[in-house]
Amino acid sequence: MNSRRSFVAAAAAAAACVAPAVFAADEWSPTRPVRIIVPIVGSTNDVLARLVAPKLQEALGQPVVVENKPGAGGNIGADFVAKAAPDGHTLLVGYNGPLAINVSLFEKMPYDPVKDLAPITLAVKSPQYLVVNPAAGVSSVAELVAKAKAQPSKFSYASVAMGSASHLTMEMFKSAAGVQLTHVPYKGAGPAVTDLLAGNVHAAFMVPGNVQQFVKEGKLKLLATTGEKRFGDSPEIPTLIELGYKDMEATGWVGFLAAAATPRPVIERYHREILKILKTREMSDKLRAMQFDVIASTPEQFGAWIRSETAQWGKVVKATGAKVE
C-alpha cells in the first residue's frame, strides 16, 4: 500500500505545480451540449459532477448536463460512455466499482475499463466511515463483531451498489473479523442511507460525504475509518488498522473519463479545465468539507491508478469470495 500512497502524493504534488500556459486560440471546444454521465444515483459522484458541471459550462461555452444512468454496479453508465462517439461530448464520472472492481466481480463485462475508456483525471479520494444505526445497539467495532458472531443471521449491511467500494470493503471486514452480515445492495448512496437511517439495514461502509451530517446529528454511529490515519475533525474515532485489522485501508475515489478513442487535444482540454475547477478555493473547501482529498492527477497517473486498483480489488474479490448477487 505504500506505493499506492506515494502515487497519490506524487499526483497531488504534480497537480499543484502545474504552471499557467498560453494555448492556441483554435484549441478544441465542444460544438454542442456536453453530457456528464454518473453511473449511480445520490452519491458523492453525483455531487462532484453537479459541482463541476456549471463551472465547466462557463469554461467551454456550451451547456453541460449531468445525467444519471445507474444499474449493474455502475456498468450501465460506464458502458454507455465507452460506446459513445469519441468526440468529447460525453464524459463519465467513474468510481471504484465500474472502473476497477467489476472486472473481477462480474462474470461478463460489456466493456473493458482500461481499453474502452480514456482517463482524464483522478479527481478526489477518501477513506470510508464504518457506520451503524444506533438501534443496532453497538458502540464499537468490538461490540459489532461480538454481536454479529453471537447472532450471525441478524445483522445486515447496505452498499451503494454491487461491486462498489462500500460492498467490497465490508466483504474485506467480514473476512478479517470472521463475521457474517447479509449484503443489501442499492442503486446509489441515497436509498442505501435512507434505509440505514430507517433501521432496515444495520451497518455500512460509506465515504464521509454520504453520512457525516447524520453522524453529527446522532442519527448514525461512527465506529471506525478505513484510512491510514485518523480524520482531523473526528480524532477520537480509530482507524481499523489501529484496531488490529492491518489490511483494512480501503478508499473511495472519483475521476473523469471519456471514450477511449477521444483525441488527445480533447482530453487535454478537459484535463486542464477540470483541474482549474478542482483547485479553486471554493471547490477545494467544498470537497474537503466532505473529507475528500483533491488529487487532480494527470491522465497517465489516473490510468496507472485504475490498473493498480484493479489488481488490488481483484485480490479482495478472490480472498473474500464476493459474488454478484
Side-chain angles (χ1 to χ4, degrees), residues 12 15 44 61 74 99 149 164 181 197 207 281 283 307 313 319:
T44 49
L99 297 181
K149 285 183 176 179
S164 62
L181 291 87
L197 290 168
V207 292
R281 180 63 178 271
M283 185 66 67
R307 291 190 293 273
W313 288 109

Side-chain angles (χ1 to χ4, degrees), residues 130-146:
L130 172 56
V131 292
V132 295
N133 185 294
V138 298
S139 58
S140 69
V141 172
E143 287 186 12
L144 175 62
V145 170

Side-chain angles (χ1 to χ4, degrees), residues 200-219:
N200 296 326
V201 285
H202 301 96
F205 277 101
M206 294 278 176
V207 292
N210 289 332
V211 294
Q212 63 187 157
Q213 186 58 41
F214 302 116
V215 170
K216 292 176 181 178
E217 294 170 357
K219 296 177 181 178

